[in-house]
């Protein structure tokens, strides 16, 4: 059994940032992790991670995004669980193993809460129905939940730094099942309906486009066909809680 911490960076891929590993919107992230080895190749992993993601159309390269002029930030709280596979035999407690590349996959539960700034004040966007959710004019657009699941997968390289300590470099991405991490998914809604239900600030935040000519109603705001992604990568340091290890060549024998 091992416990430790992970520190690194977090970012996202979605309607406001179409590149997975862009360096424009990096934020620090931290996590705690627990691992239990079943042999030299397989282990269970669980943990809790916290970080922030953000994006801003003002830094986009295309004219559509620049004119759309949206931005957001969201804190991410994540509970993780999954399995890890070592390509080479490895356990920190095993004196015969030293390093290995590895892969992992699992299922996470996470909470997000997109916010945007308007006139110096930050507003949580989900309660404002910025795409018409919860208004009489759009009865088929329901408010999205701020708790969802994702499939994390990735890999890294781990190596022993002492009899009890291990360090690892890890890159992990999260495939989510929501398109609202950034509060952007469908077409523009009628700002009059939004203002009537949620107020002036909600209507302003629903359409911040630079060109204020004809109404944007029903024009493209996001791309609902693509779900959002985010990633968390960094350095792990774990401590072995026991001197025991399981010999993978003799899977039922535990050595002291």
């Amino acid at each position: 059994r091992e416990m430790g911490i992970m520190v690194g960076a977090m970012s996202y891929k979605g309607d406001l940032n179409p590149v997975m590993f862009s360096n424009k919107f990096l934020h620090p992230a931290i996590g705690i992790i627990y691992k239990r080895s079943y042999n030299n190749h397989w282990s269970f992993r669980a943990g809790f991670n916290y970080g922030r993601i953000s994006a801003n159309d003002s830094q986009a390269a295309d004219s559509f995004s620049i004119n759309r002029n949206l931005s957001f930030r969201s804190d991410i709280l994540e509970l993780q669980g999954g399995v890890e596979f070592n390509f080479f035999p490895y356990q920190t407690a095993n004196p015969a193993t030293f390093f290995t590349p590895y892969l992992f996959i699992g299922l996470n539960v996470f909470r997000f809460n997109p916010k945007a700034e308007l006139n110096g004040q930050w507003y949580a966007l989900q309660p404002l129905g910025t795409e018409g959710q919860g208004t009489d004019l759009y009865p088929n657009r329901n408010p999205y939940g701020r708790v969802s699941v994702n499939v994390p997968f990735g890999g890294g390289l781990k190596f022993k730094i002492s009899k009890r300590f291990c360090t690892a470099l890890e890159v992990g991405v999260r495939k989510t099942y929501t398109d609202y991490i950034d509060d952007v998914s469908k077409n523009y809604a009628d700002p009059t309906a939004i203002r009537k239900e949620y107020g002036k600030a909600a209507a302003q935040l629903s359409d911040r486009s630079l060109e204020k000519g004809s109404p944007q109603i029903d024009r493209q705001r996001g791309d609902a066909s693509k779900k959002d992604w985010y990633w968390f990568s960094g350095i792990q340091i774990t401590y072995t809680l026991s001197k025991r290890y399981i010999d993978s060549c003799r899977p039922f024998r535990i050595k002291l």
Side-chain angles (χ1 to χ4, degrees):
R1 294 174 295 161
E2 298 180 39
M3 289 196 69
I5 63 171
M6 180 171 175
V7 293
M10 185 176 285
S11 188
Y12 109 113
K13 174 182 180 293
D15 290 293
L16 274 66
N17 185 34
V19 180
M20 177 69 79
F21 293 106
S22 169
N23 60 3
K24 292 181 180 179
F25 307 109
L26 295 179
H27 295 277
I30 190 169
I32 57 175
I33 192 166
Y34 168 84
K35 299 182 182 182
R36 181 179 180 87
S37 296
Y38 293 105
N39 53 47
N40 281 335
H41 290 282
W42 291 98
S43 61
F44 167 79
R45 54 185 279 162
F48 174 80
N49 300 320
Y50 167 76
R52 173 173 290 180
I53 58 175
S54 72
N56 194 321
D57 276 341
S58 65
Q59 298 187 43
D62 62 288
S63 59
F64 170 82
S65 298
I66 292 173
N67 179 65
R68 183 176 57 184
N69 194 36
L70 294 175
S71 63
F72 88 103
R73 75 180 189 192
S74 177
D75 291 340
I76 300 290
L77 299 172
E78 175 184 83
L79 287 173
Q80 64 164 307
V83 294
E84 192 170 286
F85 173 75
N86 299 325
F87 284 93
F88 305 150
Y90 182 87
Q91 288 179 76
T92 304
N94 187 341
T97 63
F98 301 99
F99 73 96
T100 181
Y102 67 94
L103 297 175
F104 72 89
I105 191 170
L107 182 67
N108 294 350
V109 177
F110 74 105
R111 185 183 188 277
F112 62 101
N113 186 26
K115 297 180 179 181
E117 184 180 17
L118 179 65
N119 299 325
Q121 182 177 347
W122 285 91
Y123 291 85
L125 297 172
Q126 188 265 5
L128 300 183
T130 55
E131 292 188 349
Q133 301 98 326
T135 63
D136 294 336
L137 191 59
Y138 300 91
N140 295 324
R141 294 190 182 184
N142 297 317
Y144 57 87
R146 287 178 282 188
V147 176
S148 186
V149 298
N150 66 65
V151 175
F153 59 92
L157 178 67
K158 67 177 73 171
F159 52 94
K160 190 182 303 184
I161 55 178
S162 74
K163 293 180 180 180
R164 290 294 187 94
F165 284 94
C166 168
T167 187
L169 302 176
E170 180 173 293
V171 176
V173 299
R174 276 67 168 159
K175 173 179 172 55
T176 79
Y177 293 90
T178 176
D179 192 35
Y180 281 105
I181 287 181
D182 48 20
D183 191 63
V184 180
S185 179
K186 296 181 173 62
N187 297 337
Y188 285 96
D190 187 336
T192 303
I194 296 174
R195 184 182 297 109
K196 178 181 177 182
E197 188 71 30
Y198 300 113
K200 181 180 178 180
Q204 290 178 297
L205 290 166
S206 71
D207 181 4
R208 309 188 75 175
S209 56
L210 299 177
E211 296 178 5
K212 295 296 186 182
S214 59
Q216 299 279 357
I217 301 171
D218 292 332
R219 293 184 179 180
Q220 182 181 359
R221 189 172 188 260
D223 184 353
S225 67
K226 298 178 181 179
K227 304 300 183 184
D228 295 329
W229 296 65
Y230 68 94
W231 57 265
F232 177 26
S233 301
I235 300 174
Q236 288 182 14
I237 297 181
T238 57
Y239 175 78
T240 300
L241 301 175
S242 172
K243 293 183 179 180
R244 293 184 176 186
Y245 68 93
I246 299 176
D247 188 341
S248 61
C249 296
R250 300 177 182 179
F252 301 104
R253 178 182 173 189
I254 298 180
K255 293 185 177 182
L256 298 178

